[in-house]
Amino acid sequence: MKLLLLLLLFPVIGQAAPGLEALTVTTTEDGGQSYSLTIQILLFMTIMSLLPGALMMMTSFARIVIVLAILRQALGTAQTPSNQIIIGLALFLTFFIMTPVFDEMNSAALQPYLNEEISTTQAIDNAKAPIREFMLAQTRDNDLMLFAEIAGHEEIESPEQTPFSLLMPAFATSELKTAFQIGFLLFIPFLIIDLVVASVLMSMGMMMLSPLIISLPFKIMLFVLVDGWALVLGTLASSFYT
């Protein structure tokens, strides 16, 4: 009986309850647009869902994690350091490298928006400028031209006018090239050690003994003696500001 009564009263309750406006766009005094709180929350949740991908492909993270993975392969230490350590190390080094960019985004976009000094659209535009400047500094011109030709864009007048649809794939491609170039240079000394050890074992007739077992201690010793971790991480950090 109670269920039947609730079903009968449901249309009346629905008509009496005030509706929540899903979308309200108002024009501000300076000619911009202001969105309702519902849309702002939706945009915020969408940005948060895309944040991991942006952190990997729009920062220094990709270059660092690829170089560290190649370095582990060159050392021949299998799963040492583990994937979790490599990702954690790359993440903390990324925060160190991107701190000036994040500080500029905070001062130019986030803080004025929280203080209600600028609109949502203006905050997004202000936040784009620092990350765009960082990405342009690391992107090769030929990669940018490649994607511009594929998309059929005309000649870009200035770097500030480069659309993100072109800048993001060009930046990712440039980062992959740079990471593999650094990894190649790191691989050479360890490859030389493997070749020397393999030649010595062959000359001694010890063909059944794996050269990796003998060369691994020498590669670790060489890496430690030259302070390899400091050199690699320092070179990676400084490569973004040269």
Side-chain angles (χ1 to χ4, degrees), residues 159-173:
E160 291 75 14
Q161 297 180 354
T162 304
F164 264 91
S165 60
L166 297 180
L167 183 57
M168 286 188 292
F171 172 77
T173 304

Side-chain angles (χ1 to χ4, degrees), residues 22-23 35-50:
L23 174 60
Y35 301 94
S36 62
L37 181 60
T38 308
I39 295 300
Q40 294 181 21
I41 294 176
L42 179 61
L43 291 175
F44 177 76
M45 297 302 296
T46 303
I47 293 174
M48 291 300 294
S49 64
L50 297 176

Side-chain angles (χ1 to χ4, degrees), residues 39-235:
I39 295 300
Q40 294 181 21
I41 294 176
L42 179 61
L43 291 175
F44 177 76
M45 297 302 296
T46 303
I47 293 174
M48 291 300 294
S49 64
L50 297 176
L51 188 60
L55 179 63
M56 289 188 294
M57 301 310 300
M58 297 176 62
T59 64
S60 58
F61 181 84
R63 182 190 301 187
I64 297 171
V65 75
I66 291 174
V67 170
L68 293 180
I70 294 177
L71 174 62
R72 182 179 64 181
Q73 184 70 23
L75 284 171
T77 53
Q79 295 299 318
T80 304
S82 62
N83 293 332
Q84 292 83 353
I85 294 177
I86 288 180
I87 294 175
L89 186 59
L91 188 62
F92 284 119
L93 190 58
T94 298
F95 285 139
F96 171 77
I97 295 171
M98 301 297 296
T99 294
V101 179
F102 292 155
D103 289 342
E104 189 174 353
M105 295 174 65
N106 178 64
S107 60
L110 181 58
Q111 292 303 322
Y113 176 74
L114 294 178
N115 296 330
E116 299 183 354
E117 298 175 359
I118 58 177
S119 62
T120 305
T121 306
Q122 185 63 39
I124 295 175
D125 292 338
N126 293 349
K128 284 182 180 179
I131 192 68
R132 182 195 299 273
E133 182 180 357
F134 171 80
M135 294 172 67
L136 281 173
Q138 308 301 324
T139 304
R140 293 176 173 84
D141 293 337
N142 56 349
D143 292 331
L144 194 59
M145 293 173 58
L146 170 64
F147 287 97
E149 292 177 359
I150 294 175
H153 280 265
E154 298 179 356
E155 185 177 355
I156 301 174
E157 297 180 359
S158 63
E160 291 75 14
Q161 297 180 354
T162 304
F164 264 91
S165 60
L166 297 180
L167 183 57
M168 286 188 292
F171 172 77
T173 304
S174 295
E175 286 296 283
L176 290 175
K177 289 182 180 178
T178 304
F180 276 89
Q181 287 175 356
I182 298 175
F184 171 76
L185 295 177
L186 288 175
F187 221 107
I188 291 177
F190 302 110
L191 180 61
I192 293 175
I193 294 177
D194 287 334
L195 291 175
V196 171
V197 171
S199 300
V200 172
L201 292 178
M202 288 290 292
S203 62
M204 297 176 61
M206 304 174 65
M207 293 178 293
M208 300 301 296
L209 182 61
S210 175
L212 296 178
I213 299 177
I214 307 300
S215 62
L216 179 59
F218 291 100
K219 290 190 289 187
I220 294 177
M221 181 182 64
L222 173 65
F223 192 69
V224 171
L225 288 178
V226 300
D227 199 6
W229 287 114
L231 289 176
V232 172
L233 297 181
T235 301

